[in-house]
Amino acid sequence: MKVLAVHPSALMYTKVFLRLEPLGLELVAGAARDAGHDVQIIDLQVETHKDYWELLESFKPDVVCFSGNYLANVPEIIDLCRATRVRYPDIFQFIGGHSVSFIARDVLALSEGAVNCILKGEGDASIGLLLRALEDGKDLLTVPGVVTMTGEGPSPVFVESLNDIRPARDLLRHRNKYFIGTLDPAASIEFARGCPWDCTFCSAWTFYGRSYRTASPTVIADELEEIKEPGIFIVDDVAFVHEEHGMAIANEIKKRGIKKEYYLETRADVLLRNKEVFKVWSEIGLSYIFIGMEAVDEEGLKQFRKRVSLDKNFEALDYARSLGLIVAINIIADPDWDRGRFEAVRQWCLEIPEIVNISVTTPYPGTEIWHKEARRLTTRDYRLFDIQHAVLPTKLPLPEFYEELVKTQQVLNTKHMGWEALKDTAGIAGRLLMKGQTNFVKMLWKFNSVFNPKLQLADHMRKARYLMPIQPDVVDSVDRKDLYVHGPGGRKTRALDDATEQFVDKTRMSEDACAADS
């Protein structure tokens, strides 16, 4: 069968700071190709809807699948599915990915028959089974993870081994368009999948059932050797949770003489626990590290169930600086912040050398705060669920909230973008331009055109064509098993030694909950 895999357009944040290759879609495309199908990919982050229609006409696929990893992309995906159904009524269309896995029936209903099914869970595990069922004319509800308007198939399954899957990177037509910071161009790679923690605002752990699986260092090094890009973004939710695994990958890289520059995300407590791993990685090319601090006070950390003390967070920053790493921090702005709170955070951002990104508290289906947040949503417009818009009632009038938010985000622009950034990166920028890479340099002046309080406020005025499901009634406690896409498999699904497993439990949540899904 001919399969066209589609990634939707860029979201607000990715219009400035980064544009990552659609690794998840490449993995799904690779699995479909391994199953014997003819596959192509189009990424609407770097191509247009016109390109999509032209590819449909020239390729003539039997199946079109869309990546539904982000809620804010749902309206665009549904519009494309509806228009595709009108022009090409015989094409089978389905959507997979992280976000749609939690709201499968709602998305199907909104499509009004344009979408044949949703594929919940890990798409690279089930797409081969789905395509075979289509070819053989079998009931789709025999396929794990399939949801239709008439029923639901067996529970989603995991890929048997991360060592056996490879992304179809060769199918991406504009690889020079992907970057993150000065890593231009950059490829993405997966060392591990899943997250053993359980932060209230996050759905990574509810998607994967708190599992944590790793690829072998040899397979990872093989993949790194095949990647042509000099920059690598490690997409793991928390990098180097398992010290031995991280060190083994580093040793394999050193043995083979692989020369790359790396950017990754981790937790402050993981960095402090596994200092030697990060030290070794800083010696083989790690230059950027993203730490999700989430809050700058103990009350905020408690709210998000980040059991990392402020002292530990600041100690982690000190250690990262000692390794010469550039650190980016994420802080979550609560809609309840007043002017004084914003001003205090601005002053803190100005006093530290690190890059600070400010996002906005956003309840997502699949997270605990979706069920527990006592403040009711002020909008159900999918397009606003991008962690840059306020979807909960704000203490300040909404125009003032956005003014304070953008003023706080402007600290990032003032310290790390425009001419200020160019002074520090003139050599890097020059080398990139000589190679024809303009992503990073163009990004330096985009902030004001994207982060604009008037534009953000205007987004609320647009009529919503598609509405999210109504938020459930507020509850004090949630049956955690009801949140999972992939059901919890307990300790056996986490590739962690006993000491690391104990460390995770001590740094995540209450003892009662630990016992409930251990």
Short mmCIF file of all heavy atoms in Angstrom, two decimals, residues 210-265:
data_model
loop_
_atom_site.label_atom_id
_atom_site.label_comp_id
_atom_site.label_asym_id
_atom_site.label_seq_id
_atom_site.Cartn_x
_atom_site.Cartn_y
_atom_site.Cartn_z
N ARG A 210 4.23 4.85 33.03
CA ARG A 210 5.41 4.96 33.89
C ARG A 210 6.51 3.95 33.52
O ARG A 210 7.36 3.61 34.34
CB ARG A 210 5.07 4.82 35.38
CG ARG A 210 4.50 6.08 36.02
CD ARG A 210 4.60 6.03 37.53
NE ARG A 210 5.99 6.04 37.96
CZ ARG A 210 6.53 5.16 38.79
NH1 ARG A 210 5.82 4.18 39.27
NH2 ARG A 210 7.80 5.26 39.13
N SER A 211 6.49 3.50 32.29
CA SER A 211 7.56 2.61 31.84
C SER A 211 8.79 3.44 31.46
O SER A 211 8.71 4.65 31.28
CB SER A 211 7.10 1.79 30.63
OG SER A 211 6.81 2.64 29.53
N TYR A 212 9.92 2.76 31.35
CA TYR A 212 11.17 3.41 30.93
C TYR A 212 12.03 2.35 30.25
O TYR A 212 12.51 1.42 30.88
CB TYR A 212 11.90 4.01 32.14
CG TYR A 212 13.18 4.73 31.77
CD1 TYR A 212 13.14 6.02 31.25
CD2 TYR A 212 14.43 4.12 31.93
CE1 TYR A 212 14.30 6.69 30.91
CE2 TYR A 212 15.59 4.77 31.60
CZ TYR A 212 15.52 6.06 31.08
OH TYR A 212 16.68 6.72 30.74
N ARG A 213 12.17 2.50 28.93
CA ARG A 213 12.90 1.50 28.14
C ARG A 213 14.07 2.15 27.42
O ARG A 213 14.01 3.33 27.07
CB ARG A 213 11.95 0.86 27.12
CG ARG A 213 10.85 0.02 27.76
CD ARG A 213 9.68 -0.20 26.81
NE ARG A 213 9.00 1.04 26.51
CZ ARG A 213 8.39 1.29 25.37
NH1 ARG A 213 8.43 0.42 24.38
NH2 ARG A 213 7.79 2.44 25.19
N THR A 214 15.10 1.40 27.20
CA THR A 214 16.31 1.96 26.62
C THR A 214 16.74 1.18 25.38
O THR A 214 16.44 -0.01 25.23
CB THR A 214 17.47 1.93 27.63
OG1 THR A 214 17.69 0.58 28.07
CG2 THR A 214 17.16 2.80 28.84
N ALA A 215 17.44 1.86 24.49
CA ALA A 215 18.09 1.21 23.34
C ALA A 215 19.52 0.88 23.72
O ALA A 215 20.12 1.53 24.60
CB ALA A 215 18.06 2.14 22.13
N SER A 216 20.10 -0.10 23.07
CA SER A 216 21.46 -0.50 23.42
C SER A 216 22.46 0.56 22.95
O SER A 216 22.26 1.19 21.90
CB SER A 216 21.80 -1.86 22.80
OG SER A 216 22.21 -1.70 21.45
N PRO A 217 23.55 0.75 23.70
CA PRO A 217 24.57 1.72 23.29
C PRO A 217 25.13 1.46 21.90
O PRO A 217 25.43 2.40 21.15
CB PRO A 217 25.64 1.55 24.37
CG PRO A 217 24.89 1.09 25.58
CD PRO A 217 23.82 0.19 25.04
N THR A 218 25.24 0.20 21.52
CA THR A 218 25.77 -0.14 20.19
C THR A 218 24.83 0.33 19.09
O THR A 218 25.26 0.93 18.09
CB THR A 218 25.97 -1.66 20.07
OG1 THR A 218 26.87 -2.10 21.08
CG2 THR A 218 26.55 -2.03 18.70
N VAL A 219 23.53 0.09 19.26
CA VAL A 219 22.54 0.52 18.28
C VAL A 219 22.49 2.04 18.20
O VAL A 219 22.40 2.63 17.11
CB VAL A 219 21.16 -0.06 18.64
CG1 VAL A 219 20.06 0.60 17.81
CG2 VAL A 219 21.14 -1.57 18.42
N ILE A 220 22.57 2.70 19.35
CA ILE A 220 22.56 4.17 19.38
C ILE A 220 23.77 4.72 18.62
O ILE A 220 23.65 5.65 17.81
CB ILE A 220 22.55 4.67 20.83
CG1 ILE A 220 21.20 4.37 21.48
CG2 ILE A 220 22.85 6.17 20.88
CD1 ILE A 220 21.17 4.58 22.98
N ALA A 221 24.93 4.15 18.86
CA ALA A 221 26.15 4.61 18.18
C ALA A 221 26.05 4.35 16.68
O ALA A 221 26.50 5.18 15.87
CB ALA A 221 27.37 3.93 18.77
N ASP A 222 25.48 3.22 16.29
CA ASP A 222 25.27 2.94 14.86
C ASP A 222 24.44 4.04 14.22
O ASP A 222 24.75 4.53 13.12
CB ASP A 222 24.55 1.60 14.67
CG ASP A 222 25.43 0.40 14.98
OD1 ASP A 222 26.66 0.56 15.04
OD2 ASP A 222 24.87 -0.70 15.17
N GLU A 223 23.37 4.43 14.91
CA GLU A 223 22.47 5.46 14.38
C GLU A 223 23.18 6.81 14.30
O GLU A 223 23.04 7.55 13.32
CB GLU A 223 21.22 5.55 15.25
CG GLU A 223 20.11 6.37 14.63
CD GLU A 223 18.79 6.25 15.38
OE1 GLU A 223 18.64 5.32 16.19
OE2 GLU A 223 17.92 7.11 15.14
N LEU A 224 23.95 7.15 15.34
CA LEU A 224 24.68 8.41 15.34
C LEU A 224 25.67 8.48 14.17
O LEU A 224 25.86 9.53 13.56
CB LEU A 224 25.42 8.61 16.66
CG LEU A 224 24.56 9.02 17.86
CD1 LEU A 224 25.38 8.94 19.15
CD2 LEU A 224 24.00 10.42 17.67
N GLU A 225 26.30 7.36 13.87
CA GLU A 225 27.25 7.33 12.75
C GLU A 225 26.54 7.55 11.42
O GLU A 225 27.14 8.11 10.49
CB GLU A 225 27.99 5.98 12.73
CG GLU A 225 29.06 5.88 13.80
CD GLU A 225 29.90 4.62 13.66
OE1 GLU A 225 29.32 3.55 13.35
OE2 GLU A 225 31.12 4.69 13.86
N GLU A 226 25.28 7.16 11.32
CA GLU A 226 24.54 7.32 10.07
C GLU A 226 24.00 8.74 9.89
O GLU A 226 23.73 9.16 8.77
CB GLU A 226 23.37 6.33 10.03
CG GLU A 226 23.81 4.87 9.95
CD GLU A 226 22.63 3.92 10.10
OE1 GLU A 226 21.48 4.41 10.23
OE2 GLU A 226 22.86 2.69 10.11
N ILE A 227 23.82 9.47 10.99
CA ILE A 227 23.25 10.81 10.93
C ILE A 227 24.29 11.79 10.39
O ILE A 227 25.41 11.86 10.89
CB ILE A 227 22.76 11.26 12.32
CG1 ILE A 227 21.56 10.40 12.76
CG2 ILE A 227 22.37 12.74 12.31
CD1 ILE A 227 21.11 10.66 14.18
N LYS A 228 23.89 12.56 9.38
CA LYS A 228 24.82 13.49 8.75
C LYS A 228 24.91 14.82 9.48
O LYS A 228 25.93 15.51 9.41
CB LYS A 228 24.42 13.71 7.29
CG LYS A 228 24.51 12.45 6.44
CD LYS A 228 24.04 12.70 5.01
CE LYS A 228 24.11 11.42 4.18
NZ LYS A 228 23.64 11.65 2.79
N GLU A 229 23.82 15.22 10.15
CA GLU A 229 23.81 16.53 10.81
C GLU A 229 24.84 16.57 11.94
O GLU A 229 25.01 15.60 12.68
CB GLU A 229 22.42 16.82 11.39
CG GLU A 229 21.38 17.17 10.35
CD GLU A 229 20.74 15.97 9.69
OE1 GLU A 229 21.13 14.82 10.03
OE2 GLU A 229 19.85 16.14 8.84
N PRO A 230 25.51 17.73 12.12
CA PRO A 230 26.50 17.86 13.20
C PRO A 230 25.88 18.07 14.57
O PRO A 230 26.52 17.83 15.59
CB PRO A 230 27.29 19.11 12.78
CG PRO A 230 26.32 19.93 11.98
CD PRO A 230 25.46 18.94 11.26
N GLY A 231 24.62 18.54 14.62
CA GLY A 231 23.94 18.78 15.88
C GLY A 231 22.92 17.70 16.16
O GLY A 231 22.23 17.24 15.26
N ILE A 232 22.83 17.30 17.42
CA ILE A 232 21.92 16.23 17.82
C ILE A 232 21.08 16.67 19.01
O ILE A 232 21.64 17.07 20.05
CB ILE A 232 22.68 14.94 18.21
CG1 ILE A 232 23.57 14.45 17.06
CG2 ILE A 232 21.70 13.86 18.66
CD1 ILE A 232 22.83 13.91 15.87
N PHE A 233 19.76 16.59 18.89
CA PHE A 233 18.88 16.81 20.03
C PHE A 233 18.42 15.45 20.55
O PHE A 233 17.82 14.66 19.82
CB PHE A 233 17.66 17.64 19.64
CG PHE A 233 16.68 17.84 20.77
CD1 PHE A 233 17.10 18.35 21.98
CD2 PHE A 233 15.35 17.49 20.61
CE1 PHE A 233 16.20 18.53 23.02
CE2 PHE A 233 14.44 17.67 21.65
CZ PHE A 233 14.87 18.18 22.85
N ILE A 234 18.74 15.15 21.80
CA ILE A 234 18.34 13.89 22.44
C ILE A 234 16.93 14.11 23.00
O ILE A 234 16.74 14.92 23.90
CB ILE A 234 19.32 13.49 23.55
CG1 ILE A 234 20.74 13.34 22.95
CG2 ILE A 234 18.89 12.19 24.22
CD1 ILE A 234 21.84 13.24 24.00
N VAL A 235 15.94 13.40 22.47
CA VAL A 235 14.54 13.71 22.76
C VAL A 235 14.00 13.07 24.04
O VAL A 235 12.85 13.28 24.40
CB VAL A 235 13.62 13.31 21.59
CG1 VAL A 235 14.03 14.00 20.30
CG2 VAL A 235 13.59 11.79 21.41
N ASP A 236 14.81 12.29 24.74
CA ASP A 236 14.34 11.61 25.95
C ASP A 236 13.69 12.62 26.90
O ASP A 236 14.19 13.74 27.09
CB ASP A 236 15.50 10.94 26.68
CG ASP A 236 16.23 9.92 25.83
OD1 ASP A 236 15.95 9.83 24.62
OD2 ASP A 236 17.09 9.21 26.38
N ASP A 237 12.59 12.23 27.53
CA ASP A 237 11.90 13.12 28.47
C ASP A 237 12.84 13.52 29.61
O ASP A 237 12.81 14.67 30.07
CB ASP A 237 10.66 12.44 29.03
CG ASP A 237 9.57 12.29 27.98
OD1 ASP A 237 9.15 13.31 27.41
OD2 ASP A 237 9.16 11.15 27.71
N VAL A 238 13.63 12.58 30.09
CA VAL A 238 14.65 12.86 31.11
C VAL A 238 15.90 12.08 30.71
O VAL A 238 15.91 10.85 30.75
CB VAL A 238 14.20 12.42 32.52
CG1 VAL A 238 15.28 12.79 33.55
CG2 VAL A 238 12.88 13.05 32.89
N ALA A 239 16.94 12.81 30.31
CA ALA A 239 18.15 12.14 29.83
C ALA A 239 18.97 11.58 30.98
O ALA A 239 19.10 12.20 32.04
CB ALA A 239 19.00 13.12 29.02
N PHE A 240 19.53 10.41 30.75
CA PHE A 240 20.50 9.76 31.63
C PHE A 240 19.96 9.49 33.02
O PHE A 240 20.66 9.68 34.03
CB PHE A 240 21.80 10.56 31.69
CG PHE A 240 22.39 10.87 30.34
CD1 PHE A 240 23.02 12.08 30.09
CD2 PHE A 240 22.28 9.96 29.29
CE1 PHE A 240 23.55 12.36 28.85
CE2 PHE A 240 22.81 10.23 28.04
CZ PHE A 240 23.44 11.45 27.81
N VAL A 241 18.70 9.02 33.09
CA VAL A 241 18.14 8.58 34.36
C VAL A 241 19.00 7.45 34.91
O VAL A 241 19.29 7.39 36.10
CB VAL A 241 16.69 8.09 34.17
CG1 VAL A 241 16.15 7.52 35.47
CG2 VAL A 241 15.80 9.22 33.67
N HIS A 242 19.40 6.56 34.00
CA HIS A 242 20.18 5.38 34.40
C HIS A 242 21.65 5.65 34.09
O HIS A 242 22.06 5.72 32.93
CB HIS A 242 19.68 4.15 33.65
CG HIS A 242 20.20 2.86 34.20
ND1 HIS A 242 20.65 1.85 33.42
CD2 HIS A 242 20.34 2.43 35.48
CE1 HIS A 242 21.06 0.84 34.16
NE2 HIS A 242 20.87 1.17 35.42
N GLU A 243 22.44 5.82 35.13
CA GLU A 243 23.83 6.23 34.99
C GLU A 243 24.63 5.27 34.09
O GLU A 243 25.37 5.70 33.20
CB GLU A 243 24.49 6.30 36.37
CG GLU A 243 25.94 6.73 36.34
CD GLU A 243 26.53 6.79 37.74
OE1 GLU A 243 26.00 6.11 38.64
OE2 GLU A 243 27.53 7.50 37.93
N GLU A 244 24.46 3.98 34.32
CA GLU A 244 25.24 2.99 33.57
C GLU A 244 24.95 3.08 32.07
O GLU A 244 25.86 2.98 31.24
CB GLU A 244 24.93 1.59 34.09
CG GLU A 244 25.73 0.49 33.42
CD GLU A 244 25.39 -0.89 33.98
OE1 GLU A 244 24.82 -0.97 35.08
OE2 GLU A 244 25.69 -1.88 33.29
N HIS A 245 23.69 3.30 31.71
CA HIS A 245 23.30 3.39 30.31
C HIS A 245 23.93 4.62 29.66
O HIS A 245 24.50 4.56 28.57
CB HIS A 245 21.77 3.45 30.20
CG HIS A 245 21.26 3.44 28.80
ND1 HIS A 245 20.53 4.49 28.26
CD2 HIS A 245 21.36 2.52 27.81
CE1 HIS A 245 20.21 4.20 27.01
NE2 HIS A 245 20.69 3.01 26.71
N GLY A 246 23.84 5.77 30.34
CA GLY A 246 24.42 6.99 29.80
C GLY A 246 25.93 6.88 29.61
O GLY A 246 26.48 7.35 28.61
N MET A 247 26.60 6.26 30.56
CA MET A 247 28.05 6.11 30.47
C MET A 247 28.43 5.13 29.36
O MET A 247 29.42 5.35 28.64
CB MET A 247 28.61 5.63 31.81
CG MET A 247 30.11 5.81 31.94
SD MET A 247 30.61 7.54 31.94
CE MET A 247 30.28 7.97 33.64
N ALA A 248 27.65 4.09 29.19
CA ALA A 248 27.94 3.10 28.14
C ALA A 248 27.82 3.72 26.75
O ALA A 248 28.63 3.43 25.86
CB ALA A 248 27.00 1.90 28.28
N ILE A 249 26.81 4.59 26.56
CA ILE A 249 26.67 5.27 25.27
C ILE A 249 27.87 6.18 25.03
O ILE A 249 28.44 6.21 23.94
CB ILE A 249 25.37 6.11 25.23
CG1 ILE A 249 24.15 5.23 25.44
CG2 ILE A 249 25.25 6.83 23.88
CD1 ILE A 249 22.87 6.00 25.68
N ALA A 250 28.28 6.92 26.06
CA ALA A 250 29.43 7.82 25.94
C ALA A 250 30.69 7.05 25.58
O ALA A 250 31.47 7.47 24.72
CB ALA A 250 29.63 8.59 27.24
N ASN A 251 30.89 5.92 26.21
CA ASN A 251 32.08 5.11 25.93
C ASN A 251 32.07 4.59 24.49
O ASN A 251 33.13 4.54 23.83
CB ASN A 251 32.17 3.94 26.91
CG ASN A 251 32.52 4.39 28.32
OD1 ASN A 251 33.12 5.45 28.51
ND2 ASN A 251 32.15 3.60 29.32
N GLU A 252 30.90 4.22 24.00
CA GLU A 252 30.80 3.73 22.62
C GLU A 252 31.08 4.86 21.64
O GLU A 252 31.73 4.67 20.60
CB GLU A 252 29.40 3.15 22.39
CG GLU A 252 29.24 2.37 21.10
CD GLU A 252 30.02 1.06 21.09
OE1 GLU A 252 30.28 0.50 22.18
OE2 GLU A 252 30.39 0.61 19.98
N ILE A 253 30.62 6.06 21.95
CA ILE A 253 30.87 7.23 21.10
C ILE A 253 32.35 7.55 21.06
O ILE A 253 32.93 7.82 19.99
CB ILE A 253 30.06 8.44 21.62
CG1 ILE A 253 28.57 8.25 21.31
CG2 ILE A 253 30.57 9.75 21.01
CD1 ILE A 253 27.67 9.28 21.96
N LYS A 254 32.98 7.51 22.22
CA LYS A 254 34.43 7.79 22.28
C LYS A 254 35.22 6.72 21.53
O LYS A 254 36.18 7.04 20.81
CB LYS A 254 34.88 7.86 23.74
CG LYS A 254 34.43 9.11 24.46
CD LYS A 254 35.16 9.33 25.78
CE LYS A 254 34.72 8.36 26.83
NZ LYS A 254 35.34 8.67 28.16
N LYS A 255 34.84 5.48 21.67
CA LYS A 255 35.55 4.38 21.01
C LYS A 255 35.51 4.53 19.49
O LYS A 255 36.49 4.26 18.80
CB LYS A 255 34.92 3.04 21.43
CG LYS A 255 35.65 1.82 20.86
CD LYS A 255 35.08 0.53 21.42
CE LYS A 255 33.72 0.22 20.84
NZ LYS A 255 33.21 -1.12 21.28
N ARG A 256 34.38 5.01 18.98
CA ARG A 256 34.22 5.14 17.53
C ARG A 256 34.66 6.51 17.00
O ARG A 256 34.68 6.71 15.79
CB ARG A 256 32.75 4.91 17.15
CG ARG A 256 32.21 3.56 17.56
CD ARG A 256 30.88 3.31 16.90
NE ARG A 256 30.19 2.15 17.46
CZ ARG A 256 29.14 1.56 16.89
NH1 ARG A 256 28.67 2.04 15.74
NH2 ARG A 256 28.56 0.54 17.45
N GLY A 257 34.97 7.42 17.89
CA GLY A 257 35.42 8.74 17.45
C GLY A 257 34.31 9.56 16.82
O GLY A 257 34.57 10.39 15.92
N ILE A 258 33.07 9.40 17.27
CA ILE A 258 31.94 10.15 16.72
C ILE A 258 32.00 11.58 17.23
O ILE A 258 32.09 11.82 18.43
CB ILE A 258 30.60 9.49 17.12
CG1 ILE A 258 30.52 8.07 16.54
CG2 ILE A 258 29.42 10.34 16.66
CD1 ILE A 258 29.34 7.26 17.06
N LYS A 259 31.95 12.55 16.33
CA LYS A 259 32.03 13.96 16.69
C LYS A 259 30.70 14.65 16.39
O LYS A 259 30.36 14.89 15.24
CB LYS A 259 33.16 14.65 15.91
CG LYS A 259 34.54 14.02 16.10
CD LYS A 259 35.01 14.12 17.55
CE LYS A 259 36.41 13.52 17.71
NZ LYS A 259 36.86 13.54 19.13
N LYS A 260 29.97 14.95 17.43
CA LYS A 260 28.70 15.66 17.30
C LYS A 260 28.59 16.68 18.45
O LYS A 260 29.33 16.62 19.43
CB LYS A 260 27.50 14.69 17.40
CG LYS A 260 27.48 13.58 16.36
CD LYS A 260 27.05 14.07 15.00
CE LYS A 260 26.89 12.90 14.03
NZ LYS A 260 26.56 13.36 12.66
N GLU A 261 27.63 17.60 18.31
CA GLU A 261 27.29 18.50 19.41
C GLU A 261 25.87 18.16 19.86
O GLU A 261 24.99 17.97 19.02
CB GLU A 261 27.38 19.96 18.96
CG GLU A 261 27.19 20.95 20.09
CD GLU A 261 27.38 22.39 19.66
OE1 GLU A 261 27.71 22.63 18.48
OE2 GLU A 261 27.17 23.30 20.50
N TYR A 262 25.66 18.11 21.19
CA TYR A 262 24.40 17.57 21.72
C TYR A 262 23.67 18.58 22.59
O TYR A 262 24.26 19.41 23.28
CB TYR A 262 24.68 16.32 22.57
CG TYR A 262 25.39 15.23 21.83
CD1 TYR A 262 26.78 15.13 21.87
CD2 TYR A 262 24.68 14.27 21.11
CE1 TYR A 262 27.45 14.12 21.20
CE2 TYR A 262 25.34 13.25 20.43
CZ TYR A 262 26.73 13.18 20.48
OH TYR A 262 27.38 12.18 19.82
N TYR A 263 22.34 18.44 22.56
CA TYR A 263 21.43 19.19 23.44
C TYR A 263 20.48 18.17 24.03
O TYR A 263 20.02 17.26 23.33
CB TYR A 263 20.66 20.22 22.61
CG TYR A 263 19.70 21.09 23.40
CD1 TYR A 263 20.00 22.41 23.68
CD2 TYR A 263 18.48 20.59 23.83
CE1 TYR A 263 19.11 23.22 24.38
CE2 TYR A 263 17.59 21.39 24.54
CZ TYR A 263 17.91 22.70 24.81
OH TYR A 263 17.02 23.49 25.51
N LEU A 264 20.18 18.31 25.33
CA LEU A 264 19.29 17.34 25.96
C LEU A 264 18.47 17.99 27.07
O LEU A 264 18.70 19.13 27.45
CB LEU A 264 20.08 16.15 26.52
CG LEU A 264 21.19 16.42 27.55
CD1 LEU A 264 20.64 16.68 28.95
CD2 LEU A 264 22.16 15.24 27.59
N GLU A 265 17.48 17.24 27.56
CA GLU A 265 16.65 17.66 28.68
C GLU A 265 16.84 16.70 29.84
O GLU A 265 16.96 15.49 29.63
CB GLU A 265 15.17 17.66 28.29
CG GLU A 265 14.82 18.53 27.10
CD GLU A 265 13.34 18.48 26.79
OE1 GLU A 265 12.53 18.54 27.74
OE2 GLU A 265 12.99 18.38 25.61
#
